[in-house]
């Protein structure tokens, strides 16, 4: 059965998506269109390029994700230098290593730009904080005077993964406005779970079922933010900003079409994840997806 899939952001927690994909394949489901934010964008692009769950398991199991923390030697030798880098470069790590790795992985499947995929089959969510708007790649690239077909998928995904302060923002230049520069960051700032992206069919009906994969508990199981001090307040503001739009959408509509994978013992930027932790995440993804499909009906 063909379905469309939407993968939420969640950093290294997204290893759980491998287990989810395993169960989807075993149950006879294939994805026609895919969308994702941040780590979800990585998985969406790799699956759309043709990677199977077993290929992803092999590739990601061997991957040393710490290499994505591509700091210069000065940061290694002088820890204070990372704060200088953060101030001047707006992020502790460049994100270049992540883009290079993904670019090579896609090329091994003959994929480089959006022209190499069927039209409208992949949607990547990012945030243009210079213009104060959410952008869908490649759809919104013509607004910047950029040909969407010639745009690098790996570069689009890097934009979606640029967690503020952790990775440097990606610069996008508007050719319609004399090269005006925009800073583009993690799509999760504005929509971490873009289940809405396939809802706007012209005739008002969906082409096929849309399944979402969310790295959080079910809606009524999400605990409230505990606020005791100014730091808690800031964190709660940030979490609310990331979740409010998506939670309002899925609470009113498609909650019955979402696989909720409650990952609560791993942080998104825990790049020191060991093999055992990866296995636990993959198994959790398997269990929750199997449980969902057992009772799911479209």
């Amino acid at each position: 059965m063909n379905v469309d899939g939407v993968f939420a952001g969640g950093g290294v927690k997204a290893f759980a998506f491998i287990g989810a994909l395993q169960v989807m394949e075993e149950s006879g489901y294939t994805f026609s269109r895919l969308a994702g934010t941040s780590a979800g964008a990585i998985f969406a692009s790799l699956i759309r390029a043709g990677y199977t769950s077993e290929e992803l398991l092999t590739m990601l199991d061997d991957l040393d994700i710490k290499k994505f923390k591509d700091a210069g030697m000065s940061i290694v030798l002088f820890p204070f230098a990372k704060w200088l880098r953060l101030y001047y470069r707006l992020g502790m790590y460049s994100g270049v290593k992540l883009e290079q790795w993904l670019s090579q992985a896609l090329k091994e499947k003959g994929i480089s730009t959006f022209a190499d995929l069927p039209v409208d089959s992949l949607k990547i969510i990012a945030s243009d904080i210079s213009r104060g708007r959410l952008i869908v790649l490649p759809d919104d690239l013509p607004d910047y005077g950029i040909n969407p077909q010639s745009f690098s998928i790996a570069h689009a995904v890097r934009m979606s993964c640029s967690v503020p302060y952790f990775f440097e923002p990606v610069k996008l230049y508007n050719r319609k406005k004399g090269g005006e520069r925009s800073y583009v960051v993690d799509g999760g700032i504005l929509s971490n779970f873009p289940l809405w992206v396939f809802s706007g069919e012209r005739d008002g009906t969906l082409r096929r079922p849309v399944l979402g994969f969310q790295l959080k508990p079910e809606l009524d199981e999400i605990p409230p933010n505990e606020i005791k001090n100014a730091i808690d307040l800031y964190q709660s503001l940030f979490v609310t900003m990331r979740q409010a739009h998506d939670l309002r959408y899925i609470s009113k509509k498609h909650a019955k079409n979402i696989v909720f994978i409650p990952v609560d013992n791993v942080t998104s930027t825990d790049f020191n994840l060991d093999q055992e932790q990866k296995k636990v995440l993959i198994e959790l993804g398997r269990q929750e997806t199997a449980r969902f499909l057992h009772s799911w009906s479209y």
Side-chain angles (χ1 to χ4, degrees):
M1 179 179 180
N2 289 331
V3 298
D4 293 333
V6 177
F7 289 85
V12 298
K13 298 178 183 181
F15 272 93
F17 290 150
I18 297 177
L21 182 59
Q22 287 174 341
V23 174
M24 293 294 290
E25 291 172 348
E26 292 165 5
S27 302
Y29 291 93
T30 57
F31 291 104
S32 293
R33 298 183 298 177
L34 287 151
T37 296
S38 197
I42 295 176
F43 273 85
S45 64
L46 290 172
I47 295 169
R48 194 64 195 85
Y51 278 94
T52 66
S53 61
E54 289 310 305
E55 288 175 318
L56 289 177
L57 178 60
T58 299
M59 178 171 63
L60 296 177
D61 192 49
D62 294 336
L63 177 66
D64 180 9
I65 55 179
K66 292 191 295 294
K67 73 178 185 180
F68 294 153
K69 296 168 67 174
D70 47 358
M73 185 58 66
S74 61
I75 291 180
V76 175
L77 297 177
F78 307 103
F80 179 70
K82 70 180 180 181
W83 301 112
L84 291 176
R85 180 190 178 94
L86 177 61
Y87 183 80
Y88 288 106
R89 301 294 294 273
L90 309 180
M92 289 188 290
Y93 309 105
S94 74
V96 171
K97 294 289 186 182
L98 171 61
E99 181 176 345
Q100 290 174 341
W101 168 80
L102 182 60
S103 178
Q104 182 57 41
L106 293 174
K107 284 179 181 178
E108 290 180 7
K109 292 291 186 179
I111 304 297
S112 181
T113 69
F114 284 97
D116 299 321
L117 296 176
V119 176
D120 290 333
S121 64
L122 179 65
K123 310 284 188 181
I124 305 300
I125 309 302
S127 303
D128 181 344
I129 56 175
S130 296
R131 301 176 73 188
R133 64 185 63 184
L134 178 150
I135 54 177
V136 179
L137 304 168
D139 301 29
D140 293 331
L141 288 171
D143 292 343
Y144 296 82
I146 298 172
N147 178 4
Q149 294 299 296
S150 63
F151 201 79
S152 163
I153 295 172
H155 197 58
V157 173
R158 177 184 165 194
M159 290 179 177
S160 185
C161 291
S162 295
V163 179
Y165 304 118
F166 192 83
F167 287 123
E168 294 176 19
V170 178
K171 301 179 183 69
L172 187 64
Y173 295 93
N174 193 327
R175 297 172 186 172
K176 286 186 173 182
K177 296 186 176 181
E180 179 182 271
R181 180 178 60 192
S182 282
Y183 285 102
V184 181
V185 301
D186 190 337
I189 296 301
L190 297 177
S191 184
N192 198 51
F193 186 41
L195 194 63
W196 47 267
V197 77
F198 293 133
S199 67
E201 308 292 357
R202 291 182 180 179
D203 60 0
T205 60
L206 295 176
R207 300 181 194 177
R208 60 190 66 84
V210 178
L211 287 185
F213 297 84
Q214 171 67 284
L215 296 168
K216 293 184 179 297
E218 295 190 33
L219 300 179
D220 57 0
E221 296 178 5
I222 297 177
N225 296 318
E226 188 171 342
I227 302 172
K228 296 181 178 179
N229 52 50
I231 295 176
D232 290 341
L233 176 63
Y234 174 79
Q235 291 176 335
S236 297
L237 286 170
F238 188 71
V239 169
T240 299
M241 180 175 62
R242 289 173 62 95
Q243 295 182 351
H245 171 273
D246 296 332
L247 286 178
R248 177 171 179 174
Y249 179 84
I250 64 176
S251 65
K252 289 185 175 181
K253 298 184 179 179
H254 311 294
K256 66 182 179 66
N257 295 327
I258 299 171
V259 181
F260 293 97
I261 306 173
V263 180
D264 56 10
N265 57 346
V266 175
T267 62
S268 298
T269 55
D270 185 4
F271 282 68
N272 295 313
L273 211 63
D274 60 34
Q275 294 299 107
E276 187 58 35
Q277 288 173 305
K278 292 178 186 177
K279 290 179 181 178
V280 170
L281 288 173
I282 292 169
E283 182 57 29
L284 180 61
R286 281 192 61 89
Q287 292 174 0
E288 294 301 321
T289 305
R291 184 168 68 89
F292 169 85
L293 290 178
H294 181 72
S295 60
W296 180 63
S297 62
Y298 178 74

